[in-house]
Amino acid sequence: MTAATPAETGEEPRAAGPGAVLPGAQIPEGRGMGRVRLVQIYRIGSAVLGALLLATFVQAGMALYGNEQARDVLIERVDPATLEQFRLSTAVTGQDTAIRAYAEEGGREHVEQYRAAVRQEAASAARMRRLLAGVPGHEEVDRLLARATADSRAWRAGFADRVAAGPGGQGIDRGESRLASRLLVQARGDMTPLQTGITALHDRAAAKLNSRARTAQWSTFAALAMVVAAALLLALLFRRTVLTPVSTLTGRVRAVSEGDFGHRLDVPGPAEINELAAIIDAMRARIIEEWRTSEDKSRRLDEQTEELRRSNGELEQFAYVASHDLQEPLRKVASFCQMLERRYGDQLDERGRQYIAFAVDGAKRMQALINDLLSFSRVGRLSRPEDSVDLDEVVRQALDNLSTLREETGAEVDVAELPDVPGDRTQLVQLFQNLVGNAIKFRREGVPPRVTIDVRRTGDEWEFGCADNGIGIDPRYADRIFLIFQRLHSREEYTGTGIGLALCKKIVEYHGGRIWLAADEHAEPDTVTPGTTFRWTLPAQPSTGAEEGAGEGTGDPDD
């Protein structure tokens, strides 16, 4: 019986021998970029790009921060200070209007308006100083503001406060009016330089804001450009160090896979790609070596197959000669020896007749041996397998062939209902005939032979049994009895050629089963019951109700 292939068993095929391992000393030394590893390339590239991006973003952040500061100075400080300057000028004018109305008309409401305008002037001046504190160039505005508020105080001290302290409604003296007008003109005249100073301060802040805005804008553009450049550089670096070498290696490996085994795999690139290419190239060399070895083995196998075919032809020719040419002389020897005994038997003494009997017996045993050897050699070669063989019919034919022996010994054979199996009908008849024949032949003296054939289903197989009540077999000979020409008894005790059980084993294994000696399974506990039980398996057909019913309720009665 041949061994199952990996395709039949469903296992993954495994290559024999060690794997293709390339020692480190055999890895070629890289050139150029091949001396540098990907880790080093990306580590250095990442550090450089990170530093550039960091510097760019720091510059952009500082520019945005400066722009925000210039904006805050202009909008939050200079512009409100300019508004307060207008309020300051309006407050001075309101003071003059309110105090003159009081002097001409009287009425305390004009005094209250005057004092409210004074408070407005002080509040506006204080707010201007607070807003402009820390603004570059605010010193000149502070000086002009101080002069304007000083002149305003001088006007109030020399004229307005004295009028407000009077009864009011009495008019203004001409000389006093000229003094008040002179002081007021001086106080109002201070507002123009103050306004000019604040305007100049506003223009400087606006110019600085515009400059910071342009800087922030260009810094942002530079950061975005650096990000795009970094992305392009990374893509170029990745393509140069990974994609291009891997694509080249893929193309060359594809060429090898398509049959160009001589295509080398020296791929330029980083050290990892070089090592990978070298390892794959070693695998290519190993495949070429294994392929050449396989070709050589295939060629030798073809030669051996042809030799086996020739040898099988010679064996078949020998089988033909053995079945015809060799048996004819044996038949002649036996026939003529028997004729000598009949014709000249009265002239021969006892020893002569014994010699003739020996010659006849030897010729017949030689014929039996040749027939058994032919049967053994034909198993698996001259077979006619069928999809379904009725084993009940097979056993009936085997028992018919043994009818004479059964009648002579008074043997009883009990057969269970047997299933149908795929196989060779002739060989299955030989199997049952040999097993039942052996069970009857190796019987105990004075005990009628009794043979039981049973069957039971075990998974995808049928397990058969043939039990007898004969002399039994020592379990230590369980393997020896299935070898060809192995006998446990002499020819004087039991006839036979020693091929029967070997033939049974070959037939069972040819059909995909196995056979064994079931030692002592028929014996009851604490008893010594002679007998032998053989069990064997045969593959089952797809399950049907009839076959399942055939296996139910059957079994060895002694189990």
Side-chain angles (χ1 to χ4, degrees):
M1 182 178 179
T2 59
T5 63
E8 294 172 347
T9 58
E11 298 178 357
E12 289 291 335
R14 292 180 294 178
V21 179
L22 187 66
Q26 296 184 15
I27 296 178
E29 184 177 357
R31 292 173 296 177
M33 186 178 292
R35 297 175 180 271
V36 185
R37 305 189 72 84
L38 281 174
V39 174
Q40 298 173 336
I41 294 175
Y42 284 101
R43 185 179 297 165
I44 295 173
S46 299
V48 172
L49 290 177
L52 291 176
L53 289 175
L54 179 62
T56 303
F57 281 113
V58 168
Q59 173 64 26
M62 293 178 62
L64 290 174
Y65 178 73
N67 178 72
E68 188 67 20
Q69 280 189 323
R71 176 182 174 280
D72 289 343
V73 167
L74 179 62
I75 296 176
E76 302 295 335
R77 304 178 74 175
V78 175
D79 285 347
T82 302
L83 179 61
E84 293 300 328
Q85 187 270 330
F86 285 107
R87 290 176 178 172
L88 178 66
S89 178
T90 302
V92 172
T93 301
Q95 293 175 30
D96 177 64
T97 301
I99 202 63
R100 287 185 179 276
Y102 177 70
E104 293 294 335
E105 302 173 2
R108 300 307 299 176
E109 67 276 8
H110 296 298
V111 175
E112 291 299 325
Q113 292 176 358
Y114 165 73
R115 297 193 184 283
V118 171
R119 291 194 295 271
Q120 177 63 41
E121 178 188 354
S124 295
R127 182 171 174 80
M128 286 179 65
R129 292 189 185 92
R130 186 171 66 254
L131 289 172
L132 297 179
V135 176
H138 70 93
E139 294 83 1
E140 178 65 16
V141 175
D142 287 345
R143 185 182 66 79
L144 294 174
L145 177 61
R147 189 175 70 179
T149 55
D151 290 342
S152 177
R153 283 196 300 274
W155 172 74
R156 288 196 299 273
F159 172 70
D161 287 343
R162 288 190 295 106
V163 174
Q170 298 179 358
I172 302 175
D173 181 78
R174 181 179 297 273
E176 193 175 32
S177 177
R178 285 198 298 271
L179 175 62
S181 297
R182 182 175 59 80
L183 292 176
L184 183 61
V185 168
Q186 185 175 353
R188 286 180 174 177
D190 293 336
M191 297 300 168
T192 301
L194 177 61
Q195 183 178 2
T196 303
I198 291 179
T199 301
L201 187 63
H202 182 278
D203 291 342
R204 284 198 300 271
K208 186 174 182 180
L209 175 61
N210 291 333
S211 175
R212 293 290 178 86
R214 287 193 297 271
T215 302
Q217 184 179 10
W218 285 109
S219 297
T220 303
F221 288 157
L224 292 176
M226 182 60 65
V227 170
V228 174
L232 292 177
L233 288 175
L234 283 176
L236 181 63
L237 182 64
F238 186 74
R239 180 176 180 177
R240 177 70 178 84
T241 58
V242 177
L243 294 182
T244 300
V246 170
S247 178
T248 304
L249 180 61
T250 301
R252 298 187 180 183
V253 171
R254 183 181 293 110
V256 173
S257 68
E258 292 174 353
D260 186 7
F261 293 111
H263 201 92
R264 294 191 59 82
L265 303 177
D266 49 343
V267 178
E272 290 88 348
I273 304 296
N274 283 340
E275 292 178 9
L276 179 60
I279 292 172
I280 297 178
D281 198 52
M283 294 172 60
R284 179 189 64 84
R286 172 68 184 274
I287 291 172
I288 294 176
E289 180 183 356
E290 291 293 335
W291 174 69
R292 289 172 179 169
T293 303
S294 176
E295 284 291 315
D296 184 58
K297 289 181 179 180
S298 178
R299 178 183 56 80
R300 287 184 292 178
L301 183 60
D302 290 341
E303 294 175 355
Q304 293 174 356
T305 302
E306 183 62 30
E307 179 65 21
L308 285 175
R309 188 179 293 111
R310 184 188 62 80
S311 177
N312 285 337
E314 293 177 353
L315 287 175
E316 290 179 1
Q317 183 64 26
F318 169 76
Y320 176 80
V321 172
S323 62
H324 294 83
D325 298 348
L326 290 181
Q327 292 200 47
E328 181 60 27
L330 290 174
R331 283 194 294 270
K332 286 185 178 181
V333 170
S335 298
F336 279 102
C337 285
Q338 289 173 344
M339 290 175 63
L340 282 174
E341 185 179 10
R342 287 195 299 271
R343 179 171 294 184
Y344 302 105
D346 55 349
Q347 301 177 20
L348 297 175
D349 58 5
E350 182 64 28
R351 178 165 296 184
R353 288 191 294 273
Q354 186 178 13
Y355 289 163
I356 290 175
F358 287 159
V360 172
D361 179 65
K364 290 182 177 180
R365 285 193 290 108
M366 188 64 178
Q367 284 180 320
L369 183 60
I370 290 174
N371 288 329
D372 288 347
L373 282 173
L374 285 174
S375 298
F376 187 82
S377 65
R378 285 172 178 153
V379 174
R381 293 194 305 112
L382 303 177
S383 61
R384 294 186 298 274
E386 302 177 24
D387 293 335
S388 179
V389 177
D390 185 356
L391 292 185
D392 289 328
E393 181 62 29
V394 165
V395 173
R396 278 195 295 270
Q397 184 176 346
L399 294 181
D400 288 343
N401 296 340
L402 297 171
S403 58
T404 303
L405 181 61
R406 290 166 53 206
E407 291 176 1
E408 291 176 354
T409 59
E412 295 182 7
V413 181
D414 296 330
V415 183
E417 184 179 356
L418 301 180
D420 295 350
V421 297
D424 184 279
R425 183 182 301 273
T426 301
Q427 293 180 9
L428 293 174
V429 170
Q430 284 183 305
L431 172 65
F432 282 95
Q433 183 174 329
N434 283 351
L435 291 173
V436 176
N438 279 352
I440 297 175
K441 181 172 65 174
F442 294 101
R443 61 188 178 277
R444 287 181 291 158
E445 188 68 29
V447 178
R450 189 171 185 270
V451 184
T452 302
I453 297 177
D454 61 17
V455 64
R456 61 191 176 195
R457 183 69 175 263
T458 57
D460 295 334
E461 294 180 324
W462 290 108
E463 182 180 314
F464 299 87
C466 180
D468 61 57
N469 61 345
I471 61 175
I473 298 176
D474 193 329
R476 58 183 173 173
Y477 300 124
D479 294 329
R480 176 181 170 186
I481 58 177
F482 292 106
L483 301 178
I484 192 170
F485 299 135
Q486 294 296 315
R487 298 174 57 91
L488 302 182
H489 306 279
S490 64
R491 289 187 179 87
E492 288 74 15
E493 293 181 284
Y494 296 97
T495 60
T497 59
I499 299 179
L501 288 179
L503 179 62
C504 292
K505 183 174 185 291
K506 191 171 184 181
I507 292 173
V508 170
E509 290 180 349
Y510 169 74
H511 284 78
R514 56 192 179 89
I515 187 171
W516 68 94
L517 173 67
D520 298 335
E521 73 169 27
H522 59 284
E524 297 180 359
D526 301 328
T527 63
V528 179
T529 304
T532 303
T533 299
F534 286 100
R535 290 206 169 273
W536 69 98
T537 62
L538 293 176
Q541 292 179 322
S543 298
T544 62
E547 289 182 347
E548 291 178 355
E552 294 178 358
T554 63
D556 191 344
D558 297 330
D559 285 350

